[in-house]
Amino acid sequence: MWLNLFKMHSTWEIVNRIIKGYDKKHAANKLNCSRRWLNVLIKRFDPNNQTCYSHKNRNRVPANKISQAIVDRVVWLKQNKYPHHFSIQHFHECLMNIENIKISVSTIKNILKQNNIITNFSHQRNKRQSIKNNGQHCLIMRTKKFGDIVEADACKITFLNGLNLYLHLIVDRATSKILAAHFDTRETLIGYYNILRRMIINYGVPLTCIVDHREIHHRNTDRVKEPKLPQLNYVCQNLGIKLIATSIPQEKPVVERLLRLVKTRLIAEFSLVESLTIERANELLSIHIAKINQLKNYDESSFPSAFTKANDDWDWNLFFALRYPRKILKGNVLSFQQQYYQPFLCNEKIMKNFAVGASGLVMITLNDKILWSTNKEIYTLVKYNKYENSWNNHQPFELTDENSNSSWTDYHDFK
């Protein structure tokens, strides 16, 4: 509207200048019209009305325009009485014969398109446009590199013998290959640590990992004055993995589809296993995952790899340890899970004394060792019986060739 008004004012001004002596040839080039049409404009010129060149039907409502009441009625009928499985042609016949609304098929298409209503028979282009207008989720393109983006998730599986287990799965988006899987009694941080460790050992470190929006993955900083980094996010930052937490299932479609496939197949396969336990299920899981990958014929050799090799000197049991901040109490003990522990030097039966209030981290490794980390040093924790004033069940943590060359700073700097 404003553009047309601007053009009309420009035409009025140019014709006004022609009357005052402006060259008609330059004016015709300016207006992009012939000399004959320019003479017609001069005859229609009104010095007191700058809109004298506007069309006479401007701002006039057409006589055959459909009323807003009919438009609202058509929209309501399509959404409630004649849903998406009615084609446009079928819907038009119902309007003509049943509802006594006489409008054309093209008008119905325009009404539905303006209200972002699609049917099962709509073209793919119209469906994508409707999804985009409604703010819904479009298709996510696959990545072109193996290990560029991995997706992790967990689901509950109830087997025929009544055993309830949670399957943790991590999948590559480019190839849809299952990289690692693990059973746990619940969806826990240990379950995600296990699949992450197996993926790093077998394939390497990926660039990006997409997980659910949970407190162990991503913490809401608005509720905490001094937010602390969640443990999985902290581990991923040390590995150089970009962790993305989302509560939208469509953001990680590959792992959502594969969880449904793996769940149905494992329920059928494990129904043939007698006396199924969580240990037995984890033993058989790798065999069935390999069968599924072979069945789907996932070939990662045709994709360039984005995995990076991890440091071989790291002890993954220590790296993926659960960390809990604690302080030393009186008597050189600390409280953890309603038990008291005392710190001892590794490989020795010598107690290490600390001042009251000394802070550190209690670390539970993947092989169920309980350690104490403070001042970039690691000590083993021994259960303390305060009534007998003695320590029991002392099993010192042994340094092996695998972790003897490790730097303890890699496992301590957790904030």
PDB file of all heavy atoms in Angstrom, residues 361-390:
ATOM      1  N   LEU A 361      37.285 -34.410  48.031  1.00  0.00           N
ATOM      2  CA  LEU A 361      36.253 -35.103  47.280  1.00  0.00           C
ATOM      3  C   LEU A 361      36.308 -36.592  47.567  1.00  0.00           C
ATOM      4  O   LEU A 361      37.376 -37.213  47.486  1.00  0.00           O
ATOM      5  CB  LEU A 361      36.440 -34.884  45.772  1.00  0.00           C
ATOM      6  CG  LEU A 361      36.279 -33.461  45.255  1.00  0.00           C
ATOM      7  CD1 LEU A 361      36.670 -33.395  43.782  1.00  0.00           C
ATOM      8  CD2 LEU A 361      34.852 -32.985  45.424  1.00  0.00           C
ATOM      9  N   VAL A 362      35.149 -37.154  47.900  1.00  0.00           N
ATOM     10  CA  VAL A 362      35.011 -38.607  47.980  1.00  0.00           C
ATOM     11  C   VAL A 362      34.711 -39.105  46.575  1.00  0.00           C
ATOM     12  O   VAL A 362      33.763 -38.664  45.932  1.00  0.00           O
ATOM     13  CB  VAL A 362      33.914 -39.016  48.961  1.00  0.00           C
ATOM     14  CG1 VAL A 362      33.703 -40.518  48.933  1.00  0.00           C
ATOM     15  CG2 VAL A 362      34.267 -38.567  50.371  1.00  0.00           C
ATOM     16  N   MET A 363      35.521 -40.059  46.078  1.00  0.00           N
ATOM     17  CA  MET A 363      35.404 -40.554  44.712  1.00  0.00           C
ATOM     18  C   MET A 363      35.033 -42.029  44.740  1.00  0.00           C
ATOM     19  O   MET A 363      35.708 -42.826  45.406  1.00  0.00           O
ATOM     20  CB  MET A 363      36.719 -40.350  43.956  1.00  0.00           C
ATOM     21  CG  MET A 363      37.197 -38.913  43.931  1.00  0.00           C
ATOM     22  SD  MET A 363      38.857 -38.726  43.252  1.00  0.00           S
ATOM     23  CE  MET A 363      38.612 -39.364  41.600  1.00  0.00           C
ATOM     24  N   ILE A 364      33.949 -42.373  44.044  1.00  0.00           N
ATOM     25  CA  ILE A 364      33.542 -43.768  43.871  1.00  0.00           C
ATOM     26  C   ILE A 364      33.834 -44.143  42.429  1.00  0.00           C
ATOM     27  O   ILE A 364      33.201 -43.636  41.499  1.00  0.00           O
ATOM     28  CB  ILE A 364      32.059 -43.972  44.201  1.00  0.00           C
ATOM     29  CG1 ILE A 364      31.769 -43.542  45.635  1.00  0.00           C
ATOM     30  CG2 ILE A 364      31.664 -45.415  43.984  1.00  0.00           C
ATOM     31  CD1 ILE A 364      30.325 -43.720  46.040  1.00  0.00           C
ATOM     32  N   THR A 365      34.788 -45.018  42.203  1.00  0.00           N
ATOM     33  CA  THR A 365      35.213 -45.382  40.863  1.00  0.00           C
ATOM     34  C   THR A 365      34.252 -46.393  40.258  1.00  0.00           C
ATOM     35  O   THR A 365      33.370 -46.937  40.936  1.00  0.00           O
ATOM     36  CB  THR A 365      36.635 -45.950  40.892  1.00  0.00           C
ATOM     37  OG1 THR A 365      36.632 -47.161  41.665  1.00  0.00           O
ATOM     38  CG2 THR A 365      37.609 -44.959  41.514  1.00  0.00           C
ATOM     39  N   LEU A 366      34.440 -46.653  38.971  1.00  0.00           N
ATOM     40  CA  LEU A 366      33.576 -47.621  38.294  1.00  0.00           C
ATOM     41  C   LEU A 366      33.794 -49.046  38.788  1.00  0.00           C
ATOM     42  O   LEU A 366      32.912 -49.887  38.626  1.00  0.00           O
ATOM     43  CB  LEU A 366      33.818 -47.552  36.784  1.00  0.00           C
ATOM     44  CG  LEU A 366      33.330 -46.280  36.082  1.00  0.00           C
ATOM     45  CD1 LEU A 366      33.594 -46.370  34.599  1.00  0.00           C
ATOM     46  CD2 LEU A 366      31.855 -46.046  36.341  1.00  0.00           C
ATOM     47  N   ASN A 367      34.975 -49.327  39.355  1.00  0.00           N
ATOM     48  CA  ASN A 367      35.208 -50.650  39.943  1.00  0.00           C
ATOM     49  C   ASN A 367      34.941 -50.666  41.444  1.00  0.00           C
ATOM     50  O   ASN A 367      35.511 -51.464  42.183  1.00  0.00           O
ATOM     51  CB  ASN A 367      36.627 -51.124  39.649  1.00  0.00           C
ATOM     52  CG  ASN A 367      37.674 -50.109  40.082  1.00  0.00           C
ATOM     53  OD1 ASN A 367      37.333 -49.015  40.528  1.00  0.00           O
ATOM     54  ND2 ASN A 367      38.943 -50.471  39.962  1.00  0.00           N
ATOM     55  N   ASP A 368      34.073 -49.723  41.920  1.00  0.00           N
ATOM     56  CA  ASP A 368      33.557 -49.693  43.296  1.00  0.00           C
ATOM     57  C   ASP A 368      34.634 -49.466  44.342  1.00  0.00           C
ATOM     58  O   ASP A 368      34.532 -49.960  45.468  1.00  0.00           O
ATOM     59  CB  ASP A 368      32.789 -50.986  43.608  1.00  0.00           C
ATOM     60  CG  ASP A 368      31.561 -51.145  42.738  1.00  0.00           C
ATOM     61  OD1 ASP A 368      30.995 -50.116  42.339  1.00  0.00           O
ATOM     62  OD2 ASP A 368      31.180 -52.299  42.452  1.00  0.00           O
ATOM     63  N   LYS A 369      35.660 -48.712  44.029  1.00  0.00           N
ATOM     64  CA  LYS A 369      36.635 -48.288  45.020  1.00  0.00           C
ATOM     65  C   LYS A 369      36.237 -46.924  45.576  1.00  0.00           C
ATOM     66  O   LYS A 369      35.765 -46.059  44.839  1.00  0.00           O
ATOM     67  CB  LYS A 369      38.035 -48.199  44.408  1.00  0.00           C
ATOM     68  CG  LYS A 369      38.604 -49.530  43.925  1.00  0.00           C
ATOM     69  CD  LYS A 369      38.969 -50.432  45.077  1.00  0.00           C
ATOM     70  CE  LYS A 369      39.629 -51.713  44.589  1.00  0.00           C
ATOM     71  NZ  LYS A 369      40.000 -52.596  45.705  1.00  0.00           N
ATOM     72  N   ILE A 370      36.416 -46.730  46.885  1.00  0.00           N
ATOM     73  CA  ILE A 370      36.102 -45.454  47.530  1.00  0.00           C
ATOM     74  C   ILE A 370      37.420 -44.769  47.866  1.00  0.00           C
ATOM     75  O   ILE A 370      38.223 -45.289  48.651  1.00  0.00           O
ATOM     76  CB  ILE A 370      35.248 -45.656  48.788  1.00  0.00           C
ATOM     77  CG1 ILE A 370      33.958 -46.399  48.446  1.00  0.00           C
ATOM     78  CG2 ILE A 370      34.928 -44.315  49.435  1.00  0.00           C
ATOM     79  CD1 ILE A 370      33.060 -46.637  49.643  1.00  0.00           C
ATOM     80  N   LEU A 371      37.644 -43.602  47.281  1.00  0.00           N
ATOM     81  CA  LEU A 371      38.902 -42.868  47.431  1.00  0.00           C
ATOM     82  C   LEU A 371      38.624 -41.476  47.960  1.00  0.00           C
ATOM     83  O   LEU A 371      37.498 -40.982  47.922  1.00  0.00           O
ATOM     84  CB  LEU A 371      39.642 -42.795  46.095  1.00  0.00           C
ATOM     85  CG  LEU A 371      39.897 -44.126  45.371  1.00  0.00           C
ATOM     86  CD1 LEU A 371      40.557 -43.879  44.029  1.00  0.00           C
ATOM     87  CD2 LEU A 371      40.753 -45.047  46.225  1.00  0.00           C
ATOM     88  N   TRP A 372      39.678 -40.822  48.425  1.00  0.00           N
ATOM     89  CA  TRP A 372      39.618 -39.451  48.943  1.00  0.00           C
ATOM     90  C   TRP A 372      40.656 -38.617  48.193  1.00  0.00           C
ATOM     91  O   TRP A 372      41.823 -38.976  48.112  1.00  0.00           O
ATOM     92  CB  TRP A 372      39.891 -39.450  50.440  1.00  0.00           C
ATOM     93  CG  TRP A 372      40.157 -38.110  51.046  1.00  0.00           C
ATOM     94  CD1 TRP A 372      41.353 -37.591  51.418  1.00  0.00           C
ATOM     95  CD2 TRP A 372      39.185 -37.116  51.378  1.00  0.00           C
ATOM     96  NE1 TRP A 372      41.215 -36.350  51.954  1.00  0.00           N
ATOM     97  CE2 TRP A 372      39.859 -36.028  51.936  1.00  0.00           C
ATOM     98  CE3 TRP A 372      37.799 -37.043  51.246  1.00  0.00           C
ATOM     99  CZ2 TRP A 372      39.220 -34.884  52.373  1.00  0.00           C
ATOM    100  CZ3 TRP A 372      37.156 -35.901  51.680  1.00  0.00           C
ATOM    101  CH2 TRP A 372      37.857 -34.841  52.236  1.00  0.00           C
ATOM    102  N   SER A 373      40.201 -37.518  47.606  1.00  0.00           N
ATOM    103  CA  SER A 373      41.067 -36.672  46.806  1.00  0.00           C
ATOM    104  C   SER A 373      41.127 -35.283  47.421  1.00  0.00           C
ATOM    105  O   SER A 373      40.089 -34.647  47.628  1.00  0.00           O
ATOM    106  CB  SER A 373      40.543 -36.590  45.362  1.00  0.00           C
ATOM    107  OG  SER A 373      41.297 -35.653  44.614  1.00  0.00           O
ATOM    108  N   THR A 374      42.320 -34.820  47.699  1.00  0.00           N
ATOM    109  CA  THR A 374      42.523 -33.487  48.243  1.00  0.00           C
ATOM    110  C   THR A 374      43.942 -33.029  47.936  1.00  0.00           C
ATOM    111  O   THR A 374      44.886 -33.838  47.941  1.00  0.00           O
ATOM    112  CB  THR A 374      42.267 -33.455  49.767  1.00  0.00           C
ATOM    113  OG1 THR A 374      42.461 -32.124  50.247  1.00  0.00           O
ATOM    114  CG2 THR A 374      43.183 -34.408  50.503  1.00  0.00           C
ATOM    115  N   ASN A 375      44.092 -31.751  47.626  1.00  0.00           N
ATOM    116  CA  ASN A 375      45.400 -31.158  47.318  1.00  0.00           C
ATOM    117  C   ASN A 375      46.141 -31.945  46.232  1.00  0.00           C
ATOM    118  O   ASN A 375      47.354 -32.203  46.342  1.00  0.00           O
ATOM    119  CB  ASN A 375      46.263 -31.058  48.584  1.00  0.00           C
ATOM    120  CG  ASN A 375      45.666 -30.116  49.601  1.00  0.00           C
ATOM    121  OD1 ASN A 375      45.005 -29.151  49.250  1.00  0.00           O
ATOM    122  ND2 ASN A 375      45.885 -30.414  50.880  1.00  0.00           N
ATOM    123  N   LYS A 376      45.405 -32.367  45.205  1.00  0.00           N
ATOM    124  CA  LYS A 376      45.958 -33.075  44.062  1.00  0.00           C
ATOM    125  C   LYS A 376      46.621 -34.394  44.444  1.00  0.00           C
ATOM    126  O   LYS A 376      47.533 -34.882  43.770  1.00  0.00           O
ATOM    127  CB  LYS A 376      46.968 -32.193  43.316  1.00  0.00           C
ATOM    128  CG  LYS A 376      46.350 -30.915  42.764  1.00  0.00           C
ATOM    129  CD  LYS A 376      47.364 -30.092  41.988  1.00  0.00           C
ATOM    130  CE  LYS A 376      46.706 -28.823  41.452  1.00  0.00           C
ATOM    131  NZ  LYS A 376      47.639 -28.006  40.656  1.00  0.00           N
ATOM    132  N   GLU A 377      46.158 -34.985  45.529  1.00  0.00           N
ATOM    133  CA  GLU A 377      46.621 -36.305  45.959  1.00  0.00           C
ATOM    134  C   GLU A 377      45.407 -37.183  46.203  1.00  0.00           C
ATOM    135  O   GLU A 377      44.322 -36.700  46.528  1.00  0.00           O
ATOM    136  CB  GLU A 377      47.461 -36.213  47.240  1.00  0.00           C
ATOM    137  CG  GLU A 377      48.757 -35.435  47.089  1.00  0.00           C
ATOM    138  CD  GLU A 377      49.775 -36.176  46.237  1.00  0.00           C
ATOM    139  OE1 GLU A 377      49.639 -37.410  46.114  1.00  0.00           O
ATOM    140  OE2 GLU A 377      50.701 -35.536  45.710  1.00  0.00           O
ATOM    141  N   ILE A 378      45.601 -38.496  46.056  1.00  0.00           N
ATOM    142  CA  ILE A 378      44.508 -39.452  46.226  1.00  0.00           C
ATOM    143  C   ILE A 378      44.883 -40.463  47.305  1.00  0.00           C
ATOM    144  O   ILE A 378      46.010 -40.992  47.315  1.00  0.00           O
ATOM    145  CB  ILE A 378      44.192 -40.176  44.903  1.00  0.00           C
ATOM    146  CG1 ILE A 378      43.531 -39.194  43.932  1.00  0.00           C
ATOM    147  CG2 ILE A 378      43.275 -41.363  45.129  1.00  0.00           C
ATOM    148  CD1 ILE A 378      43.074 -39.821  42.644  1.00  0.00           C
ATOM    149  N   TYR A 379      43.924 -40.711  48.196  1.00  0.00           N
ATOM    150  CA  TYR A 379      44.115 -41.658  49.295  1.00  0.00           C
ATOM    151  C   TYR A 379      42.954 -42.640  49.275  1.00  0.00           C
ATOM    152  O   TYR A 379      41.859 -42.335  48.793  1.00  0.00           O
ATOM    153  CB  TYR A 379      44.158 -40.925  50.642  1.00  0.00           C
ATOM    154  CG  TYR A 379      45.177 -39.803  50.700  1.00  0.00           C
ATOM    155  CD1 TYR A 379      44.809 -38.500  50.365  1.00  0.00           C
ATOM    156  CD2 TYR A 379      46.496 -40.049  51.070  1.00  0.00           C
ATOM    157  CE1 TYR A 379      45.722 -37.469  50.397  1.00  0.00           C
ATOM    158  CE2 TYR A 379      47.418 -39.019  51.106  1.00  0.00           C
ATOM    159  CZ  TYR A 379      47.035 -37.731  50.764  1.00  0.00           C
ATOM    160  OH  TYR A 379      47.956 -36.716  50.794  1.00  0.00           O
ATOM    161  N   THR A 380      43.207 -43.809  49.834  1.00  0.00           N
ATOM    162  CA  THR A 380      42.142 -44.799  49.949  1.00  0.00           C
ATOM    163  C   THR A 380      41.389 -44.587  51.252  1.00  0.00           C
ATOM    164  O   THR A 380      41.959 -44.138  52.259  1.00  0.00           O
ATOM    165  CB  THR A 380      42.728 -46.220  49.912  1.00  0.00           C
ATOM    166  OG1 THR A 380      41.665 -47.154  49.944  1.00  0.00           O
ATOM    167  CG2 THR A 380      43.661 -46.463  51.075  1.00  0.00           C
ATOM    168  N   LEU A 381      40.094 -44.854  51.234  1.00  0.00           N
ATOM    169  CA  LEU A 381      39.249 -44.676  52.411  1.00  0.00           C
ATOM    170  C   LEU A 381      38.906 -46.029  53.012  1.00  0.00           C
ATOM    171  O   LEU A 381      38.554 -46.965  52.296  1.00  0.00           O
ATOM    172  CB  LEU A 381      37.966 -43.936  52.036  1.00  0.00           C
ATOM    173  CG  LEU A 381      38.106 -42.451  51.697  1.00  0.00           C
ATOM    174  CD1 LEU A 381      36.745 -41.860  51.331  1.00  0.00           C
ATOM    175  CD2 LEU A 381      38.707 -41.676  52.859  1.00  0.00           C
ATOM    176  N   VAL A 382      38.997 -46.124  54.320  1.00  0.00           N
ATOM    177  CA  VAL A 382      38.728 -47.356  55.047  1.00  0.00           C
ATOM    178  C   VAL A 382      37.604 -47.090  56.031  1.00  0.00           C
ATOM    179  O   VAL A 382      37.592 -46.059  56.717  1.00  0.00           O
ATOM    180  CB  VAL A 382      39.986 -47.854  55.785  1.00  0.00           C
ATOM    181  CG1 VAL A 382      39.684 -49.144  56.544  1.00  0.00           C
ATOM    182  CG2 VAL A 382      41.126 -48.071  54.807  1.00  0.00           C
ATOM    183  N   LYS A 383      36.647 -48.020  56.083  1.00  0.00           N
ATOM    184  CA  LYS A 383      35.506 -47.851  56.980  1.00  0.00           C
ATOM    185  C   LYS A 383      35.976 -47.846  58.425  1.00  0.00           C
ATOM    186  O   LYS A 383      36.798 -48.671  58.839  1.00  0.00           O
ATOM    187  CB  LYS A 383      34.489 -48.954  56.740  1.00  0.00           C
ATOM    188  CG  LYS A 383      33.167 -48.735  57.465  1.00  0.00           C
ATOM    189  CD  LYS A 383      32.180 -49.851  57.149  1.00  0.00           C
ATOM    190  CE  LYS A 383      31.810 -49.852  55.666  1.00  0.00           C
ATOM    191  NZ  LYS A 383      30.735 -50.852  55.404  1.00  0.00           N
ATOM    192  N   TYR A 384      35.422 -46.919  59.201  1.00  0.00           N
ATOM    193  CA  TYR A 384      35.853 -46.702  60.584  1.00  0.00           C
ATOM    194  C   TYR A 384      34.716 -47.034  61.528  1.00  0.00           C
ATOM    195  O   TYR A 384      33.579 -46.587  61.334  1.00  0.00           O
ATOM    196  CB  TYR A 384      36.287 -45.250  60.767  1.00  0.00           C
ATOM    197  CG  TYR A 384      36.628 -44.866  62.193  1.00  0.00           C
ATOM    198  CD1 TYR A 384      37.822 -45.275  62.778  1.00  0.00           C
ATOM    199  CD2 TYR A 384      35.743 -44.092  62.940  1.00  0.00           C
ATOM    200  CE1 TYR A 384      38.127 -44.910  64.080  1.00  0.00           C
ATOM    201  CE2 TYR A 384      36.046 -43.725  64.245  1.00  0.00           C
ATOM    202  CZ  TYR A 384      37.230 -44.149  64.808  1.00  0.00           C
ATOM    203  OH  TYR A 384      37.542 -43.793  66.105  1.00  0.00           O
ATOM    204  N   ASN A 385      35.013 -47.858  62.570  1.00  0.00           N
ATOM    205  CA  ASN A 385      34.040 -48.209  63.595  1.00  0.00           C
ATOM    206  C   ASN A 385      34.321 -47.345  64.814  1.00  0.00           C
ATOM    207  O   ASN A 385      35.302 -47.557  65.529  1.00  0.00           O
ATOM    208  CB  ASN A 385      34.142 -49.701  63.946  1.00  0.00           C
ATOM    209  CG  ASN A 385      32.966 -50.172  64.798  1.00  0.00           C
ATOM    210  OD1 ASN A 385      32.325 -49.387  65.485  1.00  0.00           O
ATOM    211  ND2 ASN A 385      32.687 -51.472  64.725  1.00  0.00           N
ATOM    212  N   LYS A 386      33.463 -46.349  65.036  1.00  0.00           N
ATOM    213  CA  LYS A 386      33.750 -45.397  66.121  1.00  0.00           C
ATOM    214  C   LYS A 386      33.587 -46.022  67.515  1.00  0.00           C
ATOM    215  O   LYS A 386      34.113 -45.487  68.487  1.00  0.00           O
ATOM    216  CB  LYS A 386      32.841 -44.185  65.991  1.00  0.00           C
ATOM    217  CG  LYS A 386      31.360 -44.488  66.113  1.00  0.00           C
ATOM    218  CD  LYS A 386      30.544 -43.212  65.963  1.00  0.00           C
ATOM    219  CE  LYS A 386      29.045 -43.512  66.099  1.00  0.00           C
ATOM    220  NZ  LYS A 386      28.233 -42.277  65.968  1.00  0.00           N
ATOM    221  N   TYR A 387      32.815 -47.130  67.605  1.00  0.00           N
ATOM    222  CA  TYR A 387      32.631 -47.748  68.915  1.00  0.00           C
ATOM    223  C   TYR A 387      33.844 -48.572  69.315  1.00  0.00           C
ATOM    224  O   TYR A 387      34.222 -48.627  70.472  1.00  0.00           O
ATOM    225  CB  TYR A 387      31.373 -48.619  68.909  1.00  0.00           C
ATOM    226  CG  TYR A 387      30.132 -47.834  68.607  1.00  0.00           C
ATOM    227  CD1 TYR A 387      29.537 -47.905  67.353  1.00  0.00           C
ATOM    228  CD2 TYR A 387      29.566 -47.006  69.575  1.00  0.00           C
ATOM    229  CE1 TYR A 387      28.394 -47.180  67.062  1.00  0.00           C
ATOM    230  CE2 TYR A 387      28.418 -46.271  69.289  1.00  0.00           C
ATOM    231  CZ  TYR A 387      27.846 -46.360  68.042  1.00  0.00           C
ATOM    232  OH  TYR A 387      26.727 -45.628  67.747  1.00  0.00           O
ATOM    233  N   GLU A 388      34.490 -49.224  68.365  1.00  0.00           N
ATOM    234  CA  GLU A 388      35.678 -50.015  68.655  1.00  0.00           C
ATOM    235  C   GLU A 388      36.950 -49.207  68.501  1.00  0.00           C
ATOM    236  O   GLU A 388      38.025 -49.679  68.820  1.00  0.00           O
ATOM    237  CB  GLU A 388      35.738 -51.231  67.720  1.00  0.00           C
ATOM    238  CG  GLU A 388      34.559 -52.184  67.914  1.00  0.00           C
ATOM    239  CD  GLU A 388      34.656 -53.377  66.977  1.00  0.00           C
ATOM    240  OE1 GLU A 388      35.655 -53.429  66.217  1.00  0.00           O
ATOM    241  OE2 GLU A 388      33.753 -54.220  67.004  1.00  0.00           O
ATOM    242  N   ASN A 389      36.822 -47.954  67.980  1.00  0.00           N
ATOM    243  CA  ASN A 389      37.967 -47.101  67.761  1.00  0.00           C
ATOM    244  C   ASN A 389      39.019 -47.808  66.915  1.00  0.00           C
ATOM    245  O   ASN A 389      40.211 -47.793  67.209  1.00  0.00           O
ATOM    246  CB  ASN A 389      38.578 -46.645  69.088  1.00  0.00           C
ATOM    247  CG  ASN A 389      39.538 -45.472  68.875  1.00  0.00           C
ATOM    248  OD1 ASN A 389      39.461 -44.806  67.844  1.00  0.00           O
ATOM    249  ND2 ASN A 389      40.416 -45.233  69.858  1.00  0.00           N
ATOM    250  N   SER A 390      38.561 -48.467  65.851  1.00  0.00           N
ATOM    251  CA  SER A 390      39.484 -49.183  64.972  1.00  0.00           C
ATOM    252  C   SER A 390      38.892 -49.168  63.574  1.00  0.00           C
ATOM    253  O   SER A 390      37.730 -48.840  63.375  1.00  0.00           O
ATOM    254  CB  SER A 390      39.697 -50.625  65.450  1.00  0.00           C
ATOM    255  OG  SER A 390      38.467 -51.330  65.409  1.00  0.00           O
TER     256      SER A 390
END
